[in-house]
Amino acid sequence: MGKENALKKELQADVLINLKKGNLVGFGFSTPRKMDDDPQEIPLKVWENNIVWDNNRIEGRGLVVEDVRIVSRQTILIAKRQTVPVPYEITSKGRPSRREEILEAFTDLNNKGEIDYSGPMRSVVPLIQNWLFIHPIYSKQGDQGLGSQVIIRTISSAFKEKKSKV
């Protein structure tokens, strides 16, 4: 039992050091908690004094936080970059547009230098189709709405603009 307590105290001390350095971030819910509450970042000041650790609950500086989760700052940065776009609110008749997906694929491929502007525009079509199959962004429509004419029509002005600068 003594070794477990010593290990627990050592881990808690290490977590506190990394929280204070900003390598880790704590999130939780202030009490009393309501059903529609979102988790909040625990202020650094809470970690400065004596902390009572108990079953994902901490108390410090008069604040009680429950369902505490501690994550790395890197995890938060990655999660912020991977935000999911809000689905279209207004639906029109017919199949949903794939324009935004096609343009995002084109932009990503362009940024990675995978588009050859010396060739015809239609040579980009398979690249965009493959990118969209690997990265389903907005919809799970498979290849619907990804015909070569639709893609060419969608990327035409961007392709021509980039080609003129090459």
Side-chain angles (χ1 to χ4, degrees):
M1 220 39 189
K3 283 186 178 181
E4 288 179 14
N5 280 337
L7 179 60
K8 184 177 180 180
K9 293 232 181 262
E10 185 180 332
L11 287 172
Q12 289 172 346
D14 189 48
V15 167
L16 284 173
I17 288 168
N18 281 292
L19 283 163
K20 290 174 185 175
K21 285 182 178 179
N23 298 332
L24 297 175
V25 181
F27 287 90
F29 298 91
S30 296
T31 58
R33 183 175 171 186
K34 298 179 189 116
M35 286 294 287
D36 58 346
D37 285 348
D38 290 327
Q40 300 295 315
E41 184 173 342
I42 300 170
L44 282 176
K45 290 186 178 197
V46 173
W47 305 108
E48 290 175 359
N49 290 334
N50 295 332
I51 301 295
V52 178
W53 305 74
D54 185 32
N55 294 333
N56 296 336
R57 176 184 163 110
I58 63 165
E59 296 178 31
R61 296 185 72 107
L63 182 66
V64 178
V65 183
E66 58 186 16
D67 287 335
V68 173
R69 299 292 183 263
I70 298 175
V71 297
S72 71
R73 174 92 41 209
Q74 186 67 23
T75 301
I76 294 169
L77 295 173
I78 291 169
K80 285 182 179 178
R81 284 194 301 258
Q82 295 178 350
T83 56
V84 178
V86 177
Y88 297 112
E89 293 179 9
I90 301 172
T91 57
S92 58
K93 294 180 182 178
R95 182 177 34 224
S97 172
R98 307 286 300 265
R99 178 178 178 75
E100 296 302 317
E101 292 173 275
I102 293 167
L103 290 174
E104 185 161 341
F106 177 81
T107 301
D108 187 56
L109 291 166
N110 179 62
N111 291 343
K112 291 179 180 175
E114 296 181 22
I115 296 178
D116 178 14
Y117 291 102
S118 64
M121 193 181 320
R122 71 177 173 274
S123 66
V124 179
V125 171
L127 293 173
I128 290 175
Q129 289 170 330
N130 289 335
W131 190 97
L132 288 168
F133 292 138
I134 295 169
H135 305 89
I137 303 169
Y138 298 103
S139 65
K140 306 287 185 208
Q141 296 182 48
D143 62 355
Q144 288 183 329
L146 295 177
S148 59
Q149 292 302 316
V150 171
I151 292 174
I152 288 171
R153 193 171 40 242
T154 303
I155 67 166
S156 179
S157 60
F159 184 89
K160 289 175 183 174
E161 179 184 333
K162 303 271 187 210
K163 187 173 185 167
S164 69
K165 293 179 180 179
V166 174

